[in-house]
Amino acid sequence: MEPKLTAAELAEFLHEVFPQVRGDFLVEDVGPMRARLRMPVAERHLRPGGTVSGPAMFALADCAYYVATLAMIGREALTVTTSMTVNFLAKPPAADLVCEARVLRLGRVLSVGEATIWSDGRRDGPVAHAAVTYAIPPARETRRAGG
C-alpha cells in the first residue's frame, strides 16, 4: 500500500492544521507505513544540564507517528493519539533529533506502531522509543464508501 500524501503535502498540512508548531518539525521522508521527521533543537527544548527534555522528545514521537498515519489514510486532522508509552533510553545532547515512525498495523479505526528517536550528537543507538496507538475518525469510512 503506497502513501496517499507526499512529504511536502504532509508538511503543508501540518502547517495548516497545527500552525502553533510551524518550524518545530521537518518532514524529511515518507514511505509505505513510515515517516521520518527532524526536530531542530533550540534552547526552549532543553532541560537543566543541556539535554533535550522529555516533553520535546514526546512531541517529536507523537508528531512523527501522526504523519506516518496520515501518509497512509490522507488528510484526517482529527486522527488523535489514544495511547503512547515512551521509554527514554539516553540523554541526548543539544543537537537535532530525528524520529523514524513506523505503522505496524493500520485498521479501520486504529493505527498501531512505534517511533524511535536518534540524536545527531550520538552514534551509539536511539535516545527514545515509543509505542503509539492513534484513533482514526469514523468519517473516513463514510467518505470512502461514497456517503
Side-chain angles (χ1 to χ4, degrees), residues 38-123:
R38 175 176 296 271
M39 183 176 75
V41 172
E43 187 171 336
R44 63 190 161 85
H45 298 118
L46 303 180
R47 64 180 303 278
T51 64
V52 180
S53 72
M57 289 188 278
F58 185 102
L60 173 60
D62 191 37
C63 189
Y65 196 78
Y66 181 71
V67 168
T69 299
L70 293 184
M72 300 311 295
I73 67 170
R75 294 173 169 257
E76 294 289 347
L78 296 179
T79 300
V80 296
T81 312
T82 59
S83 174
M84 189 159 144
T85 302
V86 181
N87 291 301
F88 299 103
L89 307 172
K91 291 181 182 180
D96 285 5
L97 295 180
V98 175
C99 184
E100 295 271 349
R102 188 167 62 121
V103 178
L104 301 173
R105 169 89 166 88
L106 183 60
R108 289 177 301 133
V109 296
L110 292 178
S111 173
V112 179
E114 63 183 357
T116 305
I117 301 174
W118 287 270
S119 172
D120 274 354
R122 293 182 61 99
R123 301 287 177 230

Side-chain angles (χ1 to χ4, degrees), residues 12-21 66 70 75-77:
E12 179 183 312
F13 186 67
L14 275 181
H15 292 159
E16 177 186 317
V17 297
F18 293 112
Q20 66 272 30
V21 298
Y66 181 71
L70 293 184
R75 294 173 169 257
E76 294 289 347

